[in-house]
Amino acid sequence: MSPLSPKKLNILWTNDNPVTAELMVFMYAITAKERKLWDEITLIIWGATVKLVKENEDIQALVQKAQRSGVHVSACRACADELDAVKTLEALHVEVIYWGAPLTEILQNNGKLITI
């Protein structure tokens, strides 16, 4: 499905507060996917959240729970390289790619994007 599909939600997650992660990011993504509110949800891990995922086992468990519910989880390759987190992310089966161009496409074409 194209990142611009009207039934596709992209969540750009940059806030590394664990409470926000648990009670907004993952709560919404998992619930929305399980209730079929969106056909596809992609959670984009970017910036400080890369470090949070790398270092916090509770957050890692939430990443896996989101994946089991059908949320696609992807991370910024530049951030992961800078924070030495690629191996951890890949071990969690998180897609690790350069997100600059895809994010620009979403924004330029009015794709559905929540930023947190």
Side-chain angles (χ1 to χ4, degrees):
M1 181 176 294
S2 164
L4 305 177
S5 167
K7 296 294 278 179
K8 158 86 174 163
L9 176 65
N10 301 281
I11 302 172
L12 177 59
W13 176 36
T14 64
N15 180 322
D16 66 346
N17 180 296
V19 175
T20 300
E22 180 180 350
L23 297 180
M24 193 293 151
V25 176
F26 289 101
M27 183 184 288
Y28 181 76
I30 293 166
T31 302
K33 188 62 180 153
E34 288 175 348
R35 293 185 182 174
K36 301 180 187 329
L37 302 177
W38 299 93
D39 291 340
E40 188 175 340
I41 298 174
T42 295
L43 175 60
I44 306 162
I45 303 169
W46 195 315
T49 56
V50 169
K51 185 174 189 265
L52 179 64
V53 172
K54 177 184 174 187
E55 297 175 351
N56 188 310
E57 291 181 6
D58 293 334
I59 298 299
Q60 291 174 11
L62 287 170
V63 166
Q64 293 172 320
K65 182 177 180 181
Q67 291 167 322
R68 285 191 303 273
S69 75
V71 175
H72 176 71
V73 183
S74 187
C76 168
R77 161 79 58 185
C79 301
D81 286 341
E82 187 68 29
L83 296 167
D84 193 31
V86 174
K87 287 182 184 178
T88 301
L89 293 167
E90 289 178 343
L92 292 168
H93 305 287
V94 172
E95 173 188 53
V96 182
I97 64 170
Y98 292 103
W99 261 98
L103 179 62
T104 300
E105 180 184 358
I106 292 165
L107 294 169
Q108 288 178 343
N109 293 288
N110 297 312
K112 305 290 189 234
L113 178 71
I114 295 174
T115 56
I116 301 152

